[in-house]
Amino acid sequence: MPRRRPGALRAERGTYGDHRPPAWARALPPVDRLPPEAAAAVHWARPGRAGEIAGLLARYRVFLNRPGRHLYLGPSPCADCPGCSFSGVATVRDELRDHHRLLPPVAREALCRVLRGLDDEFRRRTIEDPDPPDSGWADGLGRPLAWWHRRLREEEPEPDRSEYW
């Protein structure tokens, strides 16, 4: 069977440039607070992942709607578990950044507008960490972490070691 050339595959799928998403994408449900054209572009570019983006935005809003003047990043109960890792707002924001990078221009700009408002609120209600940890602000590979990781965190309770003594 002959191999199909990449140009033919792109032509069949459509490019993001000036093309509008197909009708089936416009018939799907809205994505959070994105305009209909941007929501259709999300459905078109990330099939089956639009609900994930809406869920991440909802988790981000839940964190920002917590009462109190200042908000503190909470520790994730178990960072290795895929479900529990999203309890930390920094992980949620990382996922939103990753989705943002993969969207077509129309959806990327719409999501950027939504994130800009949420990020402004996040910066306003959280405090930058004046005393960074010894590891600095880098991940395990030495890459710098994004600004939302550099906020003050809740104090982690000391583990109960009474049973060991």
Side-chain angles (χ1 to χ4, degrees):
M1 175 181 232
R3 181 176 161 260
R4 294 176 65 191
R5 295 182 14 208
L9 293 173
R10 280 192 300 274
E12 182 180 288
R13 183 174 145 225
T15 60
Y16 297 144
D18 295 328
H19 293 74
R20 293 181 51 178
W24 62 264
R26 289 190 295 276
L28 292 171
V31 178
D32 197 66
R33 297 176 185 173
L34 299 182
E37 188 69 21
V42 169
H43 285 294
W44 182 37
R46 309 280 293 154
R49 305 294 292 270
E52 184 179 338
I53 293 171
L56 291 168
L57 287 169
R59 286 178 189 237
Y60 198 18
R61 282 196 179 91
V62 164
F63 175 78
L64 293 174
N65 288 333
R66 290 180 8 194
R69 181 174 177 208
H70 295 292
L71 299 175
Y72 298 94
L73 303 182
S76 181
C78 53
D80 296 332
C81 175
C84 294
S85 67
F86 289 118
S87 65
V89 73
T91 307
V92 169
R93 186 59 181 84
D94 284 338
E95 285 294 313
L96 284 168
R97 177 195 56 204
D98 294 342
H99 282 293
H100 175 267
R101 289 178 178 166
L102 299 173
L103 292 175
V106 171
R108 191 179 320 130
E109 287 181 25
L111 182 60
C112 187
R113 281 192 298 272
V114 170
L115 286 176
R116 194 175 301 126
L118 294 173
D119 287 345
D120 289 344
E121 179 72 7
F122 187 77
R123 279 191 181 102
R124 188 180 70 75
R125 295 201 51 207
T126 58
I127 303 167
E128 189 168 352
D129 191 352
D131 186 26
D134 293 337
S135 62
W137 294 111
D139 63 5
L141 300 174
R143 294 177 299 210
L145 293 173
W147 64 266
W148 50 84
H149 287 277
R150 301 177 190 153
R151 312 311 273 181
L152 279 181
R153 299 183 175 275
E154 290 177 358
E155 292 292 326
E156 295 184 28
E158 287 291 322
D160 182 22
R161 296 192 174 130
S162 60
E163 60 190 57
Y164 299 115
W165 299 106

